[in-house]
Amino acid sequence: MRNWYGVKLSLPQTVSLSSQVSAQSGESQYDKDGVFYEIYVKSFYDSDSNGHGDLKGIISQLDYLNDGNRSTSKDLQVNGMWLMPINTSPSYHKYDVTDYYNIDPEYGTLEDFRNLTNEAHKRGMKVIMDLVVNHTSSEHPWFKEASQDINSKYRTYYVWADEHADLNETGSWGQQVWYKNPNGEGYYYGTFWSGMPDLNFDHHDVRAEMIKIGQYWLSQGADGFRLDAAMHIYKGQTADGAANNLEWWKEFRAVMQQSKPDVYLVGEVWDLPEVVAPYYEALDSAFNFHLADKIILSVKSGTDQGITAAALATAALYHTYNPTIIDAIFLSNHDQNRVMSELNSDAAKAKSAASILLTLPGNPFIYYGEEIGMTGAKPDEFIREPFRWFEGDGEGQTSWQTPTYNIGGNGISVEAQDNDQASLLNHYRKMIRVRQGYDELLKGNLEAMEVNNAKIVAYKRTLHQTIQIYHNISNETVAVTIAGNGEVVFSSEAGVIKNDSMVTIPANTTVLVK
């Protein structure tokens, strides 16, 4: 018998991903692969003590995300960041833009953004921006003029009711969509709310302007975009609307690739996999909400609800539209209850969820604070609370909102977890390094393994060699027979014992066998 936890993990040299080429297309995916970190800027780090996070604050904390040195262990070692909206906006969340060509003054300046991308690139990190094109703010100069003057050229930039419109029409989740113009005649369409009037993408000038905006931000240093509400570009959810959405993103992608050949586009298409799949004709990635639900449900219940089957089924479906998909996998985001709240603040289960996320194919996205176990449940402000750097107050701690969930003093902070090797934060640091240490986890195919025990989530990843992954997601020790005659090369917790082909795995522990 042998206990493997105490053995120092010796990871193989990672092959430069610039030499990893897709077998189907011959296209290098180096600049699009990696682990991404989603940042709500307002909550992350305050550089000027005004209570609000800002771009300079992110720059000052880049070493927390990735210090550019693969031999250190104190950074997360993520490969990129997704910045939630940073354009000028009247709201706290900034998904209603009033100036697409500027940074909201609360967050900083264009120079700050350029400095951020430059510093991130030095560390090998990509920066993608939230691009919100379904709508503008009702405070945008275009809409102000359009709502006050029916002869304005901007009137047709928006969707207005004609004599055939049903003003009692509801949207795809039963919401009101037609709103009376507060500044003059007519009713306008807003998918999300009255403060976000939809743009009219049937108008050539609107499409041209959005393409110009995309080109502009690539020229400022952005590496790509998270495309907000990607399925809601054209009015309604008819078959024609869905087809038009797709054609628009193809048009957008073609021009962005002219500006930046390796531009990375990841879409928010929050729907069934069958609805998501066609968007892979135009986008590199789409967030896999279906798989995220399976992971959380499985870990929460302690029994596999079909994680591998879901990953395989969505991948097979997506591949019918694009042979070189990069699945965007995640646990939760800024629109959902936080993982730790869904898991009832069980840190062991949070570790299991992270281990599954970081050993599946695709680009894992981590929502800020997930790595320290921040909690939060809707409404939205409560799932976007200030990031906890300290147990109490400290330099850079944001205070734009008094937290309801993450109040400090409870171990949910970088300060409390930084030097605790058993902490959730250090688990994330460890698992990201494990992922990046094996080409099989970065690039390998996914294949199911049958273990006849619902407490174990098992699958294998194969590139030139095969790694078997076993996650015990239950609260009790489980013994499992491994395939072949492999050796345990990593375990996330102490107490793993291998005896011939039998491996005993403690509760909420992940084992890699090669």
Side-chain angles (χ1 to χ4, degrees):
M1 293 186 178
R2 188 173 180 184
N3 186 319
W4 283 86
Y5 183 78
V7 177
K8 180 177 174 61
L9 174 64
S10 178
L11 298 178
Q13 181 69 34
T14 302
V15 177
S16 171
L17 290 181
S18 59
S19 67
Q20 297 295 309
V21 178
S22 166
Q24 292 97 333
S25 69
E27 178 187 359
S28 172
Q29 296 291 335
Y30 169 69
D31 289 315
K32 300 177 183 180
D33 285 323
V35 179
F36 283 77
Y37 188 88
E38 178 189 357
I39 299 178
Y40 177 43
V41 179
K42 192 182 187 77
S43 284
F44 194 62
Y45 193 93
D46 175 14
S47 72
D48 54 11
S49 302
N50 68 356
H52 302 276
D54 46 55
L55 297 182
K56 285 183 177 178
I58 298 174
I59 294 171
S60 73
Q61 295 304 307
L62 281 176
D63 281 354
Y64 172 77
L65 301 175
N66 190 327
D67 63 10
N69 185 345
R70 294 295 296 271
S71 66
T72 59
S73 60
K74 283 294 189 179
D75 60 333
L76 281 170
Q77 204 165 281
V78 296
N79 308 103
M81 69 182 80
W82 152 24
L83 302 178
M84 287 171 62
I86 58 176
N87 295 126
T88 310
S89 167
S91 71
Y92 88 93
H93 52 73
K94 308 198 186 305
Y95 277 98
D96 48 343
V97 177
T98 55
D99 184 351
Y100 281 102
Y101 293 96
N102 272 306
I103 303 295
D104 192 290
E106 187 175 78
Y107 287 173
T109 65
L110 281 170
E111 182 181 5
D112 293 336
F113 179 76
R114 288 190 288 265
N115 288 340
L116 172 58
T117 59
N118 286 336
E119 291 302 316
H121 293 162
K122 290 177 184 177
R123 292 164 166 80
M125 297 178 65
K126 300 297 179 183
V127 179
I128 62 173
M129 292 173 54
D130 230 311
L131 187 65
V132 184
V133 303
N134 161 264
H135 53 266
T136 67
S137 169
S138 57
E139 298 298 312
H140 195 291
W142 298 345
F143 187 76
K144 280 188 172 181
E145 184 175 323
S147 63
Q148 294 167 3
D149 180 3
I150 61 173
N151 296 312
S152 165
K153 75 170 187 175
Y154 295 116
R155 185 77 174 190
T156 51
Y157 271 40
Y158 296 90
V159 180
W160 296 90
D162 60 21
E163 65 275 15
H164 303 296
D166 175 8
L167 298 180
N168 294 316
E169 175 186 358
T170 57
S172 56
W173 55 90
Q175 80 277 24
Q176 178 182 350
V177 291
W178 289 107
Y179 297 93
K180 191 177 188 312
N181 180 8
N183 301 315
E185 300 177 16
Y187 288 78
Y188 64 94
Y189 193 90
T191 296
F192 295 100
W193 73 295
S194 60
M196 295 176 172
D198 277 27
L199 287 163
N200 174 20
F201 274 78
D202 284 323
H203 196 310
H204 172 273
D205 289 352
V206 170
R207 298 197 305 274
E209 185 66 32
M210 291 302 153
I211 285 173
K212 180 181 173 185
I213 289 164
Q215 291 175 309
Y216 174 80
W217 286 106
L218 293 182
S219 74
Q220 299 302 308
D223 298 290
F225 304 102
R226 179 266 187 182
L227 305 170
D228 182 63
M231 64 183 290
H232 296 289
I233 302 307
Y234 282 83
K235 174 184 173 295
Q237 295 304 303
T238 64
D240 286 345
N244 289 337
N245 288 336
L246 184 57
E247 289 307 308
W248 152 249
W249 289 122
K250 288 179 179 178
E251 177 184 353
F252 181 82
R253 177 189 178 90
V255 181
M256 295 306 107
Q257 285 183 318
Q258 292 174 8
S259 298
K260 183 175 178 60
D262 61 352
V263 63
Y264 179 46
L265 302 179
V266 52
E268 180 204 26
V269 186
W270 195 341
D271 211 310
L272 297 173
E274 293 77 8
V275 177
V276 176
Y279 285 85
Y280 272 101
E281 290 185 358
L283 308 178
D284 298 297
S285 298
F287 290 105
N288 198 329
F289 288 88
H290 179 66
L291 180 59
D293 289 342
K294 289 289 185 184
I295 296 172
I296 299 301
L297 285 172
S298 298
V299 173
K300 187 174 184 177
S301 68
T303 58
D304 186 7
Q305 305 293 309
I307 293 172
T308 310
L312 288 169
T314 51
L317 178 60
Y318 299 161
H319 273 105
T320 63
Y321 292 89
N322 182 346
T324 59
I325 70 162
I326 310 171
D327 200 358
I329 58 176
F330 68 106
L331 298 176
S332 72
N333 64 24
H334 62 281
D335 288 323
Q336 299 170 301
N337 292 345
R338 283 189 172 271
V339 173
M340 191 60 107
S341 287
E342 288 295 306
L343 298 178
N344 300 314
S345 296
D346 189 324
K349 287 190 175 294
K351 288 181 180 181
S352 285
S355 296
I356 294 169
L357 175 72
L358 291 163
T359 53
L360 285 170
N363 283 355
F365 281 75
I366 298 167
Y367 184 38
Y368 83 95
E370 193 174 282
E371 77 280 13
I372 57 172
M374 284 179 62
T375 55
K378 281 182 172 284
D380 288 346
E381 291 88 341
F382 293 165
I383 52 181
R384 304 169 186 175
E385 288 186 348
F387 183 75
R388 299 284 343 165
W389 292 100
F390 308 101
E391 287 292 276
D393 292 328
E395 183 178 351
Q397 185 72 57
T398 63
S399 58
W400 69 273
Q401 176 180 315
T402 301
T404 297
Y405 285 87
N406 305 284
I407 58 175
N410 56 2
I412 303 176
S413 71
V414 174
E415 179 183 53
Q417 297 183 31
D418 194 29
N419 294 315
D420 177 5
Q421 291 307 304
S423 69
L424 183 60
L425 173 59
N426 277 305
H427 181 80
Y428 267 86
R429 288 167 171 167
K430 177 170 60 180
M431 290 307 302
I432 291 172
R433 283 166 169 78
V434 169
R435 180 182 185 84
Q436 295 172 346
Y438 291 101
D439 288 339
E440 293 86 353
L441 298 181
L442 290 172
K443 294 288 186 177
N445 295 329
L446 177 67
E447 187 177 346
M449 290 194 302
E450 184 56 62
V451 293
N452 298 311
N453 190 328
K455 297 173 183 177
I456 299 289
V457 179
Y459 44 84
K460 62 178 70 172
R461 303 288 309 279
T462 301
L463 189 58
H464 305 298
Q465 299 182 58
T466 295
I467 289 183
Q468 301 170 34
I469 302 108
Y470 300 89
H471 307 279
N472 178 3
I473 59 173
S474 75
N475 290 328
E476 58 189 59
T477 298
V478 175
V480 62
T481 301
I482 63 172
N485 192 31
E487 290 293 328
V488 173
V489 294
F490 170 79
S491 63
S492 63
E493 302 293 336
V496 173
I497 298 173
K498 182 176 183 292
N499 187 5
D500 296 328
S501 61
M502 183 71 69
V503 176
T504 302
I505 307 175
N508 296 294
T509 296
T510 291
V511 169
L512 272 58
V513 175
K514 190 171 183 179

